[in-house]
Amino acid sequence: MVRLEREGNSFVFITGKTQPVQDINILVNALSELRNVSPDASKIKEGLLYIDNSNESDIRNEIKNILKKALESKGTNV
């Protein structure tokens, strides 16, 4: 991945590995851990990082789409 960033009065190319796209499942897994008697702290931390690195409306839209798909698969319309 290469991107162009401004540094002062000039531009520089930044190269590096692309970061994997975060998936809402990270958040779902973190929330599921809360139900366990001894939750996995690393999964909960991953969930917190997911929230920190995501736009609130993106998370809301992802959850909304997942819930809609679940209802549609059960034959129920929203």
Side-chain angles (χ1 to χ4, degrees):
M1 177 182 163
V2 178
R3 71 180 186 274
L4 187 63
E5 287 188 2
R6 185 179 193 128
E7 239 181 56
N9 293 332
S10 60
F11 290 92
V12 294
F13 281 107
I14 307 296
T15 61
K17 288 185 172 181
T18 59
Q19 292 183 350
V21 175
Q22 289 194 330
D23 190 329
I24 191 75
N25 288 327
I26 293 170
L27 180 58
V28 172
N29 290 337
L31 293 171
S32 295
E33 281 299 313
L34 298 175
R35 294 177 33 189
N36 295 337
V37 174
S38 49
D40 184 348
S42 65
K43 287 186 180 181
I44 294 171
K45 287 178 185 177
E46 287 177 358
L48 288 171
L49 285 173
Y50 177 82
I51 291 170
D52 287 343
N53 295 328
S54 298
N55 183 339
E56 289 177 19
S57 63
D58 291 343
I59 293 173
R60 210 170 33 245
N61 287 336
E62 283 185 71
I63 293 171
K64 185 177 178 180
N65 288 334
I66 289 170
L67 293 173
K68 280 183 178 179
K69 286 179 185 177
L71 284 176
E72 289 170 359
S73 70
K74 300 288 183 191
T76 307
N77 291 329
V78 179

